[in-house]
């Protein structure tokens, strides 16, 4: 069984910071891209940021210069440092990883962690 376990969500006031973590475990031999997505009720899940196993990063325009993604390949862990948080950053943040399980590449999702930013 392969799973992603997220942590670090919570409630903060606008302007505050949070750091999300997500660790992959199980029978996954290689992990390529890892990332974070956000979903609010009634809307589709949207990309926040991704990072490849070589360290190339990508950010949604709305979070550039405020969020920073990083990863520790030895620990199969990805992090999202969120600074200068805004109320519109509120949502459930889902970790995602593309990994090799056996002979198949699969997309794996975490259970989600709630981030609430109050004005």
């Amino acid at each position: 069984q392969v799973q992603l376990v997220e942590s670090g969500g919570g409630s903060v006031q606008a302007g505050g910071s949070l750091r999300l973590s997500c660790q992959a475990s199980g029978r996954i031999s290689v992990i390529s891209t890892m990332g974070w997505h956000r979903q609010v009720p009634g809307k589709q899940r949207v990309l926040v940021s991704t990072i490849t196993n070589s360290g190339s990063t990508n950010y949604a325009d709305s979070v550039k210069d405020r969020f920073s993604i990083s990863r520790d390949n030895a620990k199969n862990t990805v992090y999202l440092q969120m600074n200068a948080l805004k109320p519109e950053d509120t949502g459930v943040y889902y970790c995602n990883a593309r990994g090799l399980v056996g002979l198949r590449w699969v997309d794996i999702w975490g259970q989600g962690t709630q981030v609430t930013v109050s004005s």
Side-chain angles (χ1 to χ4, degrees):
Q1 182 179 0
V2 178
Q3 62 176 352
L4 299 176
V5 178
E6 299 133 333
S7 61
S11 297
V12 295
Q13 290 190 329
S17 297
L18 285 173
R19 189 187 193 218
L20 306 182
S21 300
C22 170
Q23 185 171 33
S25 63
R27 299 177 62 183
I28 184 166
S29 56
V30 178
I31 300 177
S32 59
T33 301
M34 301 185 80
W36 294 91
H37 294 68
R38 178 177 64 236
Q39 189 168 26
V40 297
K43 294 191 177 182
Q44 289 187 334
R45 197 172 295 185
V46 297
L47 175 71
V48 175
S49 182
T50 61
I51 183 168
T52 67
N53 54 6
S54 61
S56 295
T57 59
N58 179 52
Y59 297 94
D61 288 342
S62 61
V63 306
K64 283 180 180 177
D65 301 323
R66 299 189 298 120
F67 290 12
S68 178
I69 191 170
S70 60
R71 65 189 281 176
D72 184 335
N73 291 330
K75 297 180 179 180
N76 286 340
T77 300
V78 62
Y79 306 96
L80 186 68
Q81 178 66 44
M82 304 185 293
N83 299 326
L85 282 161
K86 303 176 180 180
E88 51 264 42
D89 296 320
T90 294
V92 178
Y93 282 70
Y94 293 92
C95 177
N96 167 252
R98 183 158 181 80
L100 186 63
V101 179
L103 299 178
R104 295 187 304 122
W105 285 96
V106 296
D107 287 308
I108 309 157
W109 291 88
Q111 80 285 358
T113 184
Q114 177 70 44
V115 171
T116 302
V117 184
S118 58
S119 57

